[in-house]
mmCIF file of all heavy atoms in Angstrom:
data_model
loop_
_atom_site.group_PDB
_atom_site.id
_atom_site.type_symbol
_atom_site.label_atom_id
_atom_site.label_comp_id
_atom_site.label_asym_id
_atom_site.label_seq_id
_atom_site.Cartn_x
_atom_site.Cartn_y
_atom_site.Cartn_z
ATOM 1 N N VAL A 195 84.009 87.495 105.837
ATOM 2 C CA VAL A 195 83.969 86.320 104.973
ATOM 3 C C VAL A 195 84.356 86.718 103.563
ATOM 4 O O VAL A 195 84.296 87.888 103.180
ATOM 5 C CB VAL A 195 82.553 85.702 104.962
ATOM 6 C CG1 VAL A 195 82.184 85.225 106.349
ATOM 7 C CG2 VAL A 195 81.523 86.726 104.465
ATOM 8 N N GLU A 196 84.777 85.743 102.793
ATOM 9 C CA GLU A 196 85.172 85.994 101.413
ATOM 10 C C GLU A 196 83.962 86.382 100.581
ATOM 11 O O GLU A 196 82.877 85.791 100.714
ATOM 12 C CB GLU A 196 85.823 84.745 100.833
ATOM 13 C CG GLU A 196 86.358 84.942 99.422
ATOM 14 C CD GLU A 196 87.020 83.684 98.892
ATOM 15 O OE1 GLU A 196 87.124 82.701 99.659
ATOM 16 O OE2 GLU A 196 87.423 83.698 97.714
ATOM 17 N N ALA A 197 84.131 87.374 99.743
ATOM 18 C CA ALA A 197 83.020 87.836 98.909
ATOM 19 C C ALA A 197 82.557 86.736 97.964
ATOM 20 O O ALA A 197 83.365 85.993 97.408
ATOM 21 C CB ALA A 197 83.443 89.070 98.123
ATOM 22 N N GLN A 198 81.230 86.636 97.813
ATOM 23 C CA GLN A 198 80.631 85.635 96.945
ATOM 24 C C GLN A 198 79.896 86.323 95.798
ATOM 25 O O GLN A 198 79.455 87.473 95.931
ATOM 26 C CB GLN A 198 79.657 84.754 97.741
ATOM 27 C CG GLN A 198 80.302 84.005 98.895
ATOM 28 C CD GLN A 198 81.313 82.982 98.402
ATOM 29 O OE1 GLN A 198 81.143 82.396 97.328
ATOM 30 N NE2 GLN A 198 82.358 82.761 99.193
ATOM 31 N N PRO A 199 79.746 85.639 94.675
ATOM 32 C CA PRO A 199 78.981 86.233 93.559
ATOM 33 C C PRO A 199 77.556 86.530 93.978
ATOM 34 O O PRO A 199 76.967 85.807 94.782
ATOM 35 C CB PRO A 199 79.032 85.140 92.477
ATOM 36 C CG PRO A 199 80.198 84.287 92.852
ATOM 37 C CD PRO A 199 80.302 84.320 94.329
ATOM 38 N N TRP A 200 76.988 87.576 93.420
ATOM 39 C CA TRP A 200 75.630 87.950 93.760
ATOM 40 C C TRP A 200 74.604 87.024 93.114
ATOM 41 O O TRP A 200 73.530 86.820 93.663
ATOM 42 C CB TRP A 200 75.362 89.388 93.293
ATOM 43 C CG TRP A 200 76.125 90.407 94.063
ATOM 44 C CD1 TRP A 200 76.975 90.187 95.100
ATOM 45 C CD2 TRP A 200 76.104 91.822 93.869
ATOM 46 N NE1 TRP A 200 77.491 91.350 95.580
ATOM 47 C CE2 TRP A 200 76.981 92.397 94.854
ATOM 48 C CE3 TRP A 200 75.442 92.677 93.003
ATOM 49 C CZ2 TRP A 200 77.191 93.763 94.954
ATOM 50 C CZ3 TRP A 200 75.668 94.047 93.100
ATOM 51 C CH2 TRP A 200 76.525 94.580 94.060
ATOM 52 N N VAL A 201 74.912 86.510 91.946
ATOM 53 C CA VAL A 201 73.955 85.675 91.206
ATOM 54 C C VAL A 201 74.645 84.401 90.759
ATOM 55 O O VAL A 201 75.868 84.271 90.815
ATOM 56 C CB VAL A 201 73.408 86.438 89.976
ATOM 57 C CG1 VAL A 201 72.607 87.655 90.399
ATOM 58 C CG2 VAL A 201 74.551 86.853 89.061
ATOM 59 N N GLU A 202 73.864 83.435 90.319
ATOM 60 C CA GLU A 202 74.405 82.190 89.812
ATOM 61 C C GLU A 202 75.142 82.419 88.492
ATOM 62 O O GLU A 202 74.805 83.355 87.747
ATOM 63 C CB GLU A 202 73.278 81.171 89.595
ATOM 64 C CG GLU A 202 72.550 80.781 90.873
ATOM 65 C CD GLU A 202 73.478 80.076 91.843
ATOM 66 O OE1 GLU A 202 74.417 79.393 91.380
ATOM 67 O OE2 GLU A 202 73.276 80.198 93.069
ATOM 68 N N PRO A 203 76.139 81.590 88.181
ATOM 69 C CA PRO A 203 76.892 81.775 86.926
ATOM 70 C C PRO A 203 76.018 81.750 85.683
ATOM 71 O O PRO A 203 76.332 82.399 84.686
ATOM 72 C CB PRO A 203 77.879 80.597 86.939
ATOM 73 C CG PRO A 203 78.040 80.262 88.388
ATOM 74 C CD PRO A 203 76.707 80.523 89.021
ATOM 75 N N SER A 204 74.912 80.988 85.732
ATOM 76 C CA SER A 204 74.055 80.884 84.546
ATOM 77 C C SER A 204 73.144 82.084 84.365
ATOM 78 O O SER A 204 72.416 82.169 83.371
ATOM 79 C CB SER A 204 73.206 79.612 84.638
ATOM 80 O OG SER A 204 72.386 79.655 85.813
ATOM 81 N N TYR A 205 73.188 83.035 85.330
ATOM 82 C CA TYR A 205 72.267 84.169 85.269
ATOM 83 C C TYR A 205 72.496 85.019 84.033
ATOM 84 O O TYR A 205 71.557 85.565 83.455
ATOM 85 C CB TYR A 205 72.427 85.018 86.526
ATOM 86 C CG TYR A 205 71.514 86.225 86.581
ATOM 87 C CD1 TYR A 205 70.209 86.109 87.047
ATOM 88 C CD2 TYR A 205 71.960 87.486 86.166
ATOM 89 C CE1 TYR A 205 69.372 87.205 87.102
ATOM 90 C CE2 TYR A 205 71.132 88.585 86.218
ATOM 91 C CZ TYR A 205 69.836 88.437 86.685
ATOM 92 O OH TYR A 205 69.019 89.528 86.730
ATOM 93 N N TRP A 206 73.757 85.139 83.614
ATOM 94 C CA TRP A 206 74.095 86.036 82.518
ATOM 95 C C TRP A 206 74.055 85.352 81.156
ATOM 96 O O TRP A 206 74.455 85.946 80.164
ATOM 97 C CB TRP A 206 75.490 86.623 82.730
ATOM 98 C CG TRP A 206 75.607 87.406 84.004
ATOM 99 C CD1 TRP A 206 76.285 87.061 85.125
ATOM 100 C CD2 TRP A 206 75.001 88.665 84.281
ATOM 101 N NE1 TRP A 206 76.145 88.012 86.092
ATOM 102 C CE2 TRP A 206 75.361 89.030 85.602
ATOM 103 C CE3 TRP A 206 74.173 89.536 83.549
ATOM 104 C CZ2 TRP A 206 74.938 90.203 86.198
ATOM 105 C CZ3 TRP A 206 73.750 90.707 84.150
ATOM 106 C CH2 TRP A 206 74.128 91.031 85.451
ATOM 107 N N GLU A 207 73.588 84.091 81.081
ATOM 108 C CA GLU A 207 73.480 83.433 79.787
ATOM 109 C C GLU A 207 72.404 84.104 78.944
ATOM 110 O O GLU A 207 71.344 84.492 79.444
ATOM 111 C CB GLU A 207 73.148 81.952 79.973
ATOM 112 C CG GLU A 207 74.296 81.154 80.596
ATOM 113 C CD GLU A 207 73.955 79.685 80.725
ATOM 114 O OE1 GLU A 207 72.821 79.322 80.335
ATOM 115 O OE2 GLU A 207 74.799 78.920 81.216
ATOM 116 N N ALA A 208 72.677 84.197 77.648
ATOM 117 C CA ALA A 208 71.733 84.875 76.741
ATOM 118 C C ALA A 208 70.456 84.052 76.587
ATOM 119 O O ALA A 208 70.488 82.823 76.483
ATOM 120 C CB ALA A 208 72.390 85.083 75.381
ATOM 121 N N TRP A 209 69.336 84.719 76.605
ATOM 122 C CA TRP A 209 68.062 84.053 76.391
ATOM 123 C C TRP A 209 67.883 83.738 74.913
ATOM 124 O O TRP A 209 68.413 84.435 74.049
ATOM 125 C CB TRP A 209 66.916 84.960 76.855
ATOM 126 C CG TRP A 209 66.870 85.109 78.355
ATOM 127 C CD1 TRP A 209 67.681 84.511 79.258
ATOM 128 C CD2 TRP A 209 65.971 85.938 79.098
ATOM 129 N NE1 TRP A 209 67.358 84.890 80.521
ATOM 130 C CE2 TRP A 209 66.305 85.777 80.471
ATOM 131 C CE3 TRP A 209 64.924 86.781 78.766
ATOM 132 C CZ2 TRP A 209 65.606 86.421 81.478
ATOM 133 C CZ3 TRP A 209 64.238 87.425 79.770
ATOM 134 C CH2 TRP A 209 64.579 87.248 81.117
ATOM 135 N N PRO A 210 67.103 82.701 74.583
ATOM 136 C CA PRO A 210 66.850 82.394 73.170
ATOM 137 C C PRO A 210 66.051 83.510 72.514
ATOM 138 O O PRO A 210 65.219 84.155 73.160
ATOM 139 C CB PRO A 210 66.051 81.091 73.244
ATOM 140 C CG PRO A 210 65.456 81.072 74.617
ATOM 141 C CD PRO A 210 66.461 81.735 75.498
ATOM 142 N N PRO A 211 66.309 83.775 71.254
ATOM 143 C CA PRO A 211 65.578 84.861 70.571
ATOM 144 C C PRO A 211 64.080 84.578 70.509
ATOM 145 O O PRO A 211 63.648 83.443 70.374
ATOM 146 C CB PRO A 211 66.209 84.874 69.166
ATOM 147 C CG PRO A 211 66.787 83.504 68.987
ATOM 148 C CD PRO A 211 67.222 83.058 70.331
ATOM 149 N N ARG A 212 63.291 85.622 70.643
ATOM 150 C CA ARG A 212 61.838 85.503 70.612
ATOM 151 C C ARG A 212 61.304 86.231 69.379
ATOM 152 O O ARG A 212 61.761 87.310 69.040
ATOM 153 C CB ARG A 212 61.225 86.106 71.874
ATOM 154 C CG ARG A 212 61.663 85.412 73.169
ATOM 155 C CD ARG A 212 61.010 86.084 74.361
ATOM 156 N NE ARG A 212 61.399 85.442 75.609
ATOM 157 C CZ ARG A 212 60.981 85.853 76.813
ATOM 158 N NH1 ARG A 212 60.188 86.911 76.902
ATOM 159 N NH2 ARG A 212 61.370 85.219 77.894
ATOM 160 N N SER A 213 60.306 85.629 68.745
ATOM 161 C CA SER A 213 59.652 86.264 67.593
ATOM 162 C C SER A 213 58.651 87.275 68.094
ATOM 163 O O SER A 213 57.988 87.071 69.109
ATOM 164 C CB SER A 213 58.953 85.204 66.742
ATOM 165 O OG SER A 213 57.976 84.518 67.500
ATOM 166 N N SER A 214 58.572 88.383 67.414
ATOM 167 C CA SER A 214 57.644 89.437 67.813
ATOM 168 C C SER A 214 57.119 90.114 66.564
ATOM 169 O O SER A 214 57.893 90.516 65.689
ATOM 170 C CB SER A 214 58.357 90.449 68.708
ATOM 171 O OG SER A 214 57.538 91.575 68.920
ATOM 172 N N SER A 215 55.794 90.228 66.473
ATOM 173 C CA SER A 215 55.182 90.881 65.321
ATOM 174 C C SER A 215 55.564 92.354 65.269
ATOM 175 O O SER A 215 55.729 92.940 64.196
ATOM 176 C CB SER A 215 53.658 90.728 65.378
ATOM 177 O OG SER A 215 53.149 91.272 66.596
ATOM 178 N N ILE A 216 55.706 92.958 66.439
ATOM 179 C CA ILE A 216 56.084 94.372 66.481
ATOM 180 C C ILE A 216 57.489 94.549 65.927
ATOM 181 O O ILE A 216 57.770 95.465 65.144
ATOM 182 C CB ILE A 216 55.997 94.901 67.918
ATOM 183 C CG1 ILE A 216 54.553 94.809 68.433
ATOM 184 C CG2 ILE A 216 56.509 96.337 67.994
ATOM 185 C CD1 ILE A 216 54.381 95.272 69.855
ATOM 186 N N LEU A 217 58.400 93.651 66.308
ATOM 187 C CA LEU A 217 59.767 93.735 65.816
ATOM 188 C C LEU A 217 59.828 93.502 64.315
ATOM 189 O O LEU A 217 60.549 94.199 63.585
ATOM 190 C CB LEU A 217 60.636 92.703 66.548
ATOM 191 C CG LEU A 217 62.113 92.672 66.168
ATOM 192 C CD1 LEU A 217 62.771 94.012 66.454
ATOM 193 C CD2 LEU A 217 62.841 91.558 66.920
ATOM 194 N N GLU A 218 59.050 92.547 63.821
ATOM 195 C CA GLU A 218 59.036 92.271 62.385
ATOM 196 C C GLU A 218 58.508 93.459 61.596
ATOM 197 O O GLU A 218 59.029 93.805 60.533
ATOM 198 C CB GLU A 218 58.189 91.030 62.118
ATOM 199 C CG GLU A 218 58.796 89.747 62.679
ATOM 200 C CD GLU A 218 57.870 88.563 62.500
ATOM 201 O OE1 GLU A 218 56.725 88.771 62.024
ATOM 202 O OE2 GLU A 218 58.267 87.438 62.842
ATOM 203 N N GLU A 219 57.443 94.099 62.130
ATOM 204 C CA GLU A 219 56.893 95.264 61.451
ATOM 205 C C GLU A 219 57.885 96.425 61.435
ATOM 206 O O GLU A 219 58.021 97.143 60.432
ATOM 207 C CB GLU A 219 55.597 95.692 62.148
ATOM 208 C CG GLU A 219 54.942 96.944 61.572
ATOM 209 C CD GLU A 219 54.507 96.763 60.124
ATOM 210 O OE1 GLU A 219 54.356 95.597 59.667
ATOM 211 O OE2 GLU A 219 54.300 97.790 59.437
ATOM 212 N N ALA A 220 58.603 96.611 62.538
ATOM 213 C CA ALA A 220 59.601 97.673 62.598
ATOM 214 C C ALA A 220 60.711 97.435 61.589
ATOM 215 O O ALA A 220 61.183 98.363 60.916
ATOM 216 C CB ALA A 220 60.175 97.768 64.013
ATOM 217 N N CYS A 221 61.127 96.168 61.447
ATOM 218 C CA CYS A 221 62.170 95.846 60.471
ATOM 219 C C CYS A 221 61.690 96.097 59.049
ATOM 220 O O CYS A 221 62.440 96.580 58.195
ATOM 221 C CB CYS A 221 62.594 94.390 60.635
ATOM 222 S SG CYS A 221 63.513 94.071 62.161
ATOM 223 N N ARG A 222 60.438 95.771 58.777
ATOM 224 C CA ARG A 222 59.904 95.982 57.428
ATOM 225 C C ARG A 222 59.858 97.465 57.089
ATOM 226 O O ARG A 222 60.244 97.882 55.984
ATOM 227 C CB ARG A 222 58.497 95.376 57.330
ATOM 228 C CG ARG A 222 57.898 95.421 55.919
ATOM 229 C CD ARG A 222 56.448 94.979 55.923
ATOM 230 N NE ARG A 222 55.633 95.897 56.715
ATOM 231 C CZ ARG A 222 55.214 97.091 56.254
ATOM 232 N NH1 ARG A 222 55.565 97.496 55.046
ATOM 233 N NH2 ARG A 222 54.474 97.856 57.015
ATOM 234 N N GLN A 223 59.380 98.277 58.074
ATOM 235 C CA GLN A 223 59.328 99.715 57.834
ATOM 236 C C GLN A 223 60.720 100.311 57.650
ATOM 237 O O GLN A 223 60.917 101.228 56.848
ATOM 238 C CB GLN A 223 58.611 100.407 58.999
ATOM 239 C CG GLN A 223 57.136 100.061 59.118
ATOM 240 C CD GLN A 223 56.450 100.819 60.237
ATOM 241 O OE1 GLN A 223 57.014 101.762 60.788
ATOM 242 N NE2 GLN A 223 55.233 100.410 60.580
ATOM 243 N N PHE A 224 61.675 99.793 58.386
ATOM 244 C CA PHE A 224 63.046 100.272 58.233
ATOM 245 C C PHE A 224 63.581 99.965 56.840
ATOM 246 O O PHE A 224 64.226 100.809 56.202
ATOM 247 C CB PHE A 224 63.944 99.622 59.295
ATOM 248 C CG PHE A 224 65.392 99.996 59.154
ATOM 249 C CD1 PHE A 224 65.855 101.245 59.539
ATOM 250 C CD2 PHE A 224 66.299 99.098 58.602
ATOM 251 C CE1 PHE A 224 67.193 101.582 59.402
ATOM 252 C CE2 PHE A 224 67.629 99.433 58.455
ATOM 253 C CZ PHE A 224 68.085 100.690 58.860
ATOM 254 N N GLN A 225 63.285 98.752 56.327
ATOM 255 C CA GLN A 225 63.741 98.381 54.992
ATOM 256 C C GLN A 225 63.088 99.262 53.936
ATOM 257 O O GLN A 225 63.731 99.677 52.965
ATOM 258 C CB GLN A 225 63.429 96.904 54.731
ATOM 259 C CG GLN A 225 64.229 95.941 55.583
ATOM 260 C CD GLN A 225 65.712 95.986 55.275
ATOM 261 O OE1 GLN A 225 66.121 96.387 54.190
ATOM 262 N NE2 GLN A 225 66.526 95.588 56.251
ATOM 263 N N ASP A 226 61.792 99.584 54.115
ATOM 264 C CA ASP A 226 61.101 100.456 53.170
ATOM 265 C C ASP A 226 61.711 101.856 53.167
ATOM 266 O O ASP A 226 61.906 102.470 52.102
ATOM 267 C CB ASP A 226 59.607 100.533 53.521
ATOM 268 C CG ASP A 226 58.897 99.202 53.304
ATOM 269 O OD1 ASP A 226 59.467 98.325 52.599
ATOM 270 O OD2 ASP A 226 57.786 99.026 53.846
ATOM 271 N N THR A 227 62.002 102.362 54.369
ATOM 272 C CA THR A 227 62.599 103.695 54.471
ATOM 273 C C THR A 227 63.986 103.725 53.832
ATOM 274 O O THR A 227 64.364 104.676 53.143
ATOM 275 C CB THR A 227 62.702 104.121 55.942
ATOM 276 O OG1 THR A 227 61.400 104.091 56.540
ATOM 277 C CG2 THR A 227 63.279 105.523 56.068
ATOM 278 N N LEU A 228 64.743 102.659 54.059
ATOM 279 C CA LEU A 228 66.076 102.574 53.470
ATOM 280 C C LEU A 228 66.011 102.548 51.954
ATOM 281 O O LEU A 228 66.802 103.210 51.268
ATOM 282 C CB LEU A 228 66.783 101.323 53.992
ATOM 283 C CG LEU A 228 68.253 101.166 53.601
ATOM 284 C CD1 LEU A 228 69.074 102.322 54.138
ATOM 285 C CD2 LEU A 228 68.809 99.840 54.118
ATOM 286 N N GLN A 229 65.049 101.808 51.383
ATOM 287 C CA GLN A 229 64.877 101.765 49.937
ATOM 288 C C GLN A 229 64.481 103.123 49.380
ATOM 289 O O GLN A 229 64.960 103.549 48.319
ATOM 290 C CB GLN A 229 63.820 100.709 49.563
ATOM 291 C CG GLN A 229 63.625 100.521 48.068
ATOM 292 C CD GLN A 229 64.901 100.070 47.372
ATOM 293 O OE1 GLN A 229 65.597 99.181 47.869
ATOM 294 N NE2 GLN A 229 65.220 100.674 46.241
ATOM 295 N N GLU A 230 63.628 103.834 50.125
ATOM 296 C CA GLU A 230 63.217 105.168 49.696
ATOM 297 C C GLU A 230 64.409 106.115 49.672
ATOM 298 O O GLU A 230 64.533 106.957 48.768
ATOM 299 C CB GLU A 230 62.134 105.691 50.641
ATOM 300 C CG GLU A 230 61.576 107.045 50.227
ATOM 301 C CD GLU A 230 60.461 107.508 51.141
ATOM 302 O OE1 GLU A 230 60.081 106.746 52.058
ATOM 303 O OE2 GLU A 230 59.973 108.637 50.948
ATOM 304 N N CYS A 231 65.293 105.974 50.653
ATOM 305 C CA CYS A 231 66.504 106.805 50.681
ATOM 306 C C CYS A 231 67.392 106.518 49.479
ATOM 307 O O CYS A 231 67.970 107.437 48.875
ATOM 308 C CB CYS A 231 67.273 106.562 51.973
ATOM 309 S SG CYS A 231 66.462 107.221 53.453
ATOM 310 N N HIS A 232 67.507 105.250 49.102
ATOM 311 C CA HIS A 232 68.295 104.890 47.925
ATOM 312 C C HIS A 232 67.697 105.512 46.663
ATOM 313 O O HIS A 232 68.418 106.007 45.789
ATOM 314 C CB HIS A 232 68.349 103.369 47.786
ATOM 315 C CG HIS A 232 69.297 102.712 48.742
ATOM 316 N ND1 HIS A 232 70.609 103.085 48.874
ATOM 317 C CD2 HIS A 232 69.113 101.684 49.620
ATOM 318 C CE1 HIS A 232 71.200 102.340 49.784
ATOM 319 N NE2 HIS A 232 70.306 101.471 50.267
ATOM 320 N N ASP A 233 66.367 105.487 46.551
ATOM 321 C CA ASP A 233 65.700 106.076 45.375
ATOM 322 C C ASP A 233 65.934 107.585 45.302
ATOM 323 O O ASP A 233 66.211 108.128 44.227
ATOM 324 C CB ASP A 233 64.195 105.774 45.429
ATOM 325 C CG ASP A 233 63.904 104.278 45.300
ATOM 326 O OD1 ASP A 233 64.797 103.541 44.812
ATOM 327 O OD2 ASP A 233 62.812 103.840 45.707
ATOM 328 N N LEU A 234 65.805 108.264 46.453
ATOM 329 C CA LEU A 234 66.021 109.707 46.469
ATOM 330 C C LEU A 234 67.461 110.038 46.119
ATOM 331 O O LEU A 234 67.738 111.036 45.435
ATOM 332 C CB LEU A 234 65.672 110.264 47.851
ATOM 333 C CG LEU A 234 64.185 110.257 48.224
ATOM 334 C CD1 LEU A 234 63.992 110.698 49.674
ATOM 335 C CD2 LEU A 234 63.393 111.181 47.302
ATOM 336 N N ASP A 235 68.391 109.208 46.581
ATOM 337 C CA ASP A 235 69.793 109.430 46.258
ATOM 338 C C ASP A 235 70.037 109.294 44.767
ATOM 339 O O ASP A 235 70.774 110.094 44.173
ATOM 340 C CB ASP A 235 70.649 108.425 47.037
ATOM 341 C CG ASP A 235 72.130 108.618 46.751
ATOM 342 O OD1 ASP A 235 72.681 109.673 47.123
ATOM 343 O OD2 ASP A 235 72.737 107.706 46.160
ATOM 344 N N ARG A 236 69.422 108.315 44.141
ATOM 345 C CA ARG A 236 69.590 108.127 42.706
ATOM 346 C C ARG A 236 69.000 109.303 41.926
ATOM 347 O O ARG A 236 69.598 109.782 40.959
ATOM 348 C CB ARG A 236 68.924 106.815 42.282
ATOM 349 C CG ARG A 236 69.150 106.476 40.807
ATOM 350 C CD ARG A 236 68.573 105.137 40.414
ATOM 351 N NE ARG A 236 67.131 105.104 40.623
ATOM 352 C CZ ARG A 236 66.537 104.441 41.621
ATOM 353 N NH1 ARG A 236 67.277 103.794 42.503
ATOM 354 N NH2 ARG A 236 65.229 104.455 41.756
ATOM 355 N N GLN A 237 67.822 109.785 42.361
ATOM 356 C CA GLN A 237 67.207 110.920 41.683
ATOM 357 C C GLN A 237 68.074 112.175 41.810
ATOM 358 O O GLN A 237 68.208 112.953 40.865
ATOM 359 C CB GLN A 237 65.817 111.179 42.269
ATOM 360 C CG GLN A 237 64.813 110.064 42.005
ATOM 361 C CD GLN A 237 63.470 110.326 42.674
ATOM 362 O OE1 GLN A 237 63.207 111.438 43.133
ATOM 363 N NE2 GLN A 237 62.627 109.300 42.724
ATOM 364 N N ALA A 238 68.659 112.343 43.000
ATOM 365 C CA ALA A 238 69.506 113.516 43.199
ATOM 366 C C ALA A 238 70.738 113.455 42.310
ATOM 367 O O ALA A 238 71.166 114.470 41.736
ATOM 368 C CB ALA A 238 69.918 113.607 44.679
ATOM 369 N N ARG A 239 71.321 112.269 42.167
ATOM 370 C CA ARG A 239 72.491 112.131 41.302
ATOM 371 C C ARG A 239 72.127 112.445 39.849
ATOM 372 O O ARG A 239 72.890 113.092 39.131
ATOM 373 C CB ARG A 239 73.055 110.716 41.411
ATOM 374 C CG ARG A 239 73.726 110.422 42.755
ATOM 375 C CD ARG A 239 74.169 108.956 42.828
ATOM 376 N NE ARG A 239 74.763 108.653 44.101
ATOM 377 C CZ ARG A 239 76.052 108.821 44.400
ATOM 378 N NH1 ARG A 239 76.867 109.305 43.463
ATOM 379 N NH2 ARG A 239 76.514 108.519 45.593
ATOM 380 N N ASP A 240 70.944 111.975 39.413
ATOM 381 C CA ASP A 240 70.507 112.250 38.034
ATOM 382 C C ASP A 240 70.308 113.739 37.804
ATOM 383 O O ASP A 240 70.692 114.288 36.758
ATOM 384 C CB ASP A 240 69.207 111.490 37.738
ATOM 385 C CG ASP A 240 69.403 109.980 37.725
ATOM 386 O OD1 ASP A 240 70.577 109.536 37.600
ATOM 387 O OD2 ASP A 240 68.410 109.238 37.859
ATOM 388 N N SER A 241 69.705 114.427 38.818
ATOM 389 C CA SER A 241 69.472 115.867 38.681
ATOM 390 C C SER A 241 70.792 116.629 38.619
ATOM 391 O O SER A 241 70.954 117.571 37.831
ATOM 392 C CB SER A 241 68.630 116.377 39.851
ATOM 393 O OG SER A 241 67.358 115.757 39.848
ATOM 394 N N LEU A 242 71.759 116.224 39.418
ATOM 395 C CA LEU A 242 73.058 116.882 39.403
ATOM 396 C C LEU A 242 73.774 116.661 38.077
ATOM 397 O O LEU A 242 74.400 117.577 37.525
ATOM 398 C CB LEU A 242 73.922 116.363 40.556
ATOM 399 C CG LEU A 242 73.513 116.825 41.961
ATOM 400 C CD1 LEU A 242 74.352 116.115 43.014
ATOM 401 C CD2 LEU A 242 73.666 118.330 42.092
ATOM 402 N N ALA A 243 73.644 115.461 37.534
ATOM 403 C CA ALA A 243 74.293 115.188 36.252
ATOM 404 C C ALA A 243 73.666 116.019 35.142
ATOM 405 O O ALA A 243 74.361 116.544 34.267
ATOM 406 C CB ALA A 243 74.191 113.700 35.943
ATOM 407 N N GLN A 244 72.339 116.150 35.194
ATOM 408 C CA GLN A 244 71.656 116.954 34.175
ATOM 409 C C GLN A 244 72.059 118.423 34.294
ATOM 410 O O GLN A 244 72.279 119.107 33.293
ATOM 411 C CB GLN A 244 70.141 116.809 34.332
ATOM 412 C CG GLN A 244 69.342 117.566 33.280
ATOM 413 C CD GLN A 244 67.847 117.386 33.472
ATOM 414 O OE1 GLN A 244 67.413 116.714 34.394
ATOM 415 N NE2 GLN A 244 67.071 117.990 32.595
ATOM 416 N N ALA A 245 72.185 118.915 35.538
ATOM 417 C CA ALA A 245 72.578 120.312 35.739
ATOM 418 C C ALA A 245 73.989 120.561 35.230
ATOM 419 O O ALA A 245 74.274 121.615 34.640
ATOM 420 C CB ALA A 245 72.477 120.658 37.222
ATOM 421 N N GLU A 246 74.888 119.612 35.441
ATOM 422 C CA GLU A 246 76.249 119.774 34.950
ATOM 423 C C GLU A 246 76.282 119.840 33.421
ATOM 424 O O GLU A 246 77.045 120.612 32.843
ATOM 425 C CB GLU A 246 77.113 118.629 35.449
ATOM 426 C CG GLU A 246 77.402 118.688 36.944
ATOM 427 C CD GLU A 246 78.214 117.504 37.415
ATOM 428 O OE1 GLU A 246 78.466 116.597 36.579
ATOM 429 O OE2 GLU A 246 78.603 117.470 38.604
#
Side-chain angles (χ1 to χ4, degrees):
V195 297
E196 184 179 356
Q198 300 295 327
W200 291 359
V201 296
E202 297 296 329
S204 60
Y205 180 84
W206 300 109
E207 292 182 359
W209 290 358
R212 298 180 180 179
S213 60
S214 171
S215 57
I216 298 178
L217 181 60
E218 293 175 355
E219 178 63 20
C221 290
R222 186 187 63 79
Q223 293 183 12
F224 176 75
Q225 292 295 337
D226 293 344
T227 303
L228 187 61
Q229 184 60 45
E230 184 177 357
C231 290
H232 283 307
D233 295 341
L234 290 174
D235 181 66
R236 185 176 61 254
Q237 294 177 13
R239 290 176 182 273
D240 293 342
S241 298
L242 288 174
Q244 182 180 1
E246 289 178 355

